[in-house]
Amino acid sequence: AGVQIATWADTSYYLGDRMSMMMENMWQGALLVFITLIFFVPLKTAFWVMTDLPVCVAGTFLMMYFFGVSFNMLSLFGFIMVLGMLVNDAVIIAESVDDQVRLNGMSRNSVLTGTHQVAMPAMFGVLTNIVAFLPMLFAQGPQAHWLFPIGFIFIVCMFFSLVESKFILPSHIKTTGKPWLWGPFGVQHRLQENLSAKLAYWIKHHYANFLLRCVRYRYLTVAVFISLLMLSYGAIKSGFIPYELHPAEP
């Protein structure tokens, strides 16, 4: 008698706030990807690229269950950090497949050729990100407990992104069929065709020439990037760009 229970401190507010931020970033990122892509690839293809985000997140949820990784501030931070990188390889493959479809029509061979043309660079782009975060899984010392969830979430998400873009996305694109040409879909299709043609012209006559000059003067190109790296390092060491691991304010 006379015993009461009162809330003294509710720290779940921070977890709920971080989870809301993750979900908000995911749907906003998916929407931005979709809106951007409909100007350069067919509407149905843009939709399937957009689905890469929820598929990767759902697959990571499953792996978290099997490996005993919980939802906490650190794992959710890993999700927030990786969300902006999940669709990179899917966008590359979708654009390559779309180019082949324009040249040879929609067919199984066109989808396979477009996928194979960029499969290797897209895969190594993902693998380099995975390797960069791999040491977090084997960290030792007092910081290991907060490095592991971040590295685990990042690596598993990128792995599912790689699997989805290489094996699932091409199959979905193959089943899209002909684009919709009625009503507002026809307007979108004509706009997308016009912008794609202009982008292809710019790549062929300007960007490709710039790349050829970079290759021709390769030593100068390497020197420029080394100089930029040195300037970046100097800006941090000199304090021009402040560095603080645990800032007092977010």
Side-chain angles (χ1 to χ4, degrees):
V3 177
Q4 296 180 348
I5 298 177
T7 302
W8 180 70
D10 184 11
T11 56
S12 65
Y13 163 80
Y14 300 102
L15 182 63
D17 185 63
R18 186 66 60 86
M19 188 173 295
S20 298
M21 182 187 298
M22 185 200 76
M23 297 304 297
E24 185 176 338
N25 285 359
M26 185 173 68
W27 74 259
Q28 287 181 354
L31 184 62
L32 287 173
V33 168
F34 179 74
I35 293 175
T36 303
L37 285 178
I38 61 175
F39 292 106
F40 302 101
V41 298
L43 184 68
K44 298 177 184 178
T45 302
F47 170 79
W48 287 120
V49 173
M50 180 187 66
T51 59
D52 184 68
L53 274 172
V55 168
C56 295
V57 172
T60 306
F61 286 167
L62 183 64
M63 291 297 102
M64 290 174 67
Y65 172 77
F66 285 118
F67 285 88
V69 178
S70 64
F71 282 105
N72 52 59
M73 297 288 287
L74 299 171
S75 59
L76 290 176
F77 174 75
F79 274 115
I80 294 172
M81 182 171 56
V82 76
L83 282 177
M85 307 175 65
L86 288 180
V87 297
N88 292 351
D89 50 336
V91 170
I92 293 171
I93 290 177
E95 193 275 335
S96 178
V97 171
D98 184 58
D99 280 347
Q100 287 298 316
V101 170
R102 291 173 186 275
L103 293 174
N104 304 312
M106 176 60 76
S107 66
R108 181 174 180 270
N109 288 334
S110 295
V111 174
L112 290 177
T113 300
T115 303
H116 290 163
Q117 280 185 342
V118 294
M120 191 64 67
M123 181 178 67
F124 276 97
V126 173
L127 291 179
T128 52
N129 290 325
I130 290 177
V131 170
F133 281 79
L134 196 61
M136 287 187 172
L137 301 183
F138 308 101
Q140 302 294 326
Q143 295 181 340
H145 71 282
W146 64 267
L147 288 175
F148 180 85
I150 298 175
F152 178 85
I153 297 300
F154 187 95
I155 291 173
V156 174
C157 276
M158 295 301 292
F159 172 77
F160 274 103
S161 175
L162 186 64
V163 172
E164 200 277 342
S165 63
K166 300 296 183 297
F167 300 103
I168 303 175
L169 178 63
S171 178
H172 284 157
I173 295 177
K174 173 62 177 66
T175 62
T176 55
K178 295 182 179 180
W180 295 326
L181 300 177
W182 48 273
F185 299 108
V187 176
Q188 180 272 331
H189 179 71
R190 290 190 295 272
L191 177 62
Q192 178 254 313
E193 290 285 337
N194 186 32
L195 289 176
S196 296
K198 291 181 178 179
L199 179 62
Y201 177 86
W202 182 83
I203 291 174
K204 181 178 180 180
H205 294 87
H206 299 286
Y207 182 64
N209 292 333
F210 174 74
L211 288 182
L212 287 175
R213 290 189 178 94
C214 290
V215 174
R216 184 181 304 167
Y217 304 104
R218 53 189 179 276
Y219 297 114
L220 177 61
T221 303
V222 172
V224 168
F225 279 97
I226 291 177
S227 300
L228 291 175
L229 178 63
M230 295 174 63
L231 285 174
S232 301
Y233 179 77
I236 296 175
K237 295 298 291 184
S238 65
F240 181 76
I241 299 178
Y243 170 79
E244 189 174 356
L245 182 60
H246 300 289
E249 298 180 359

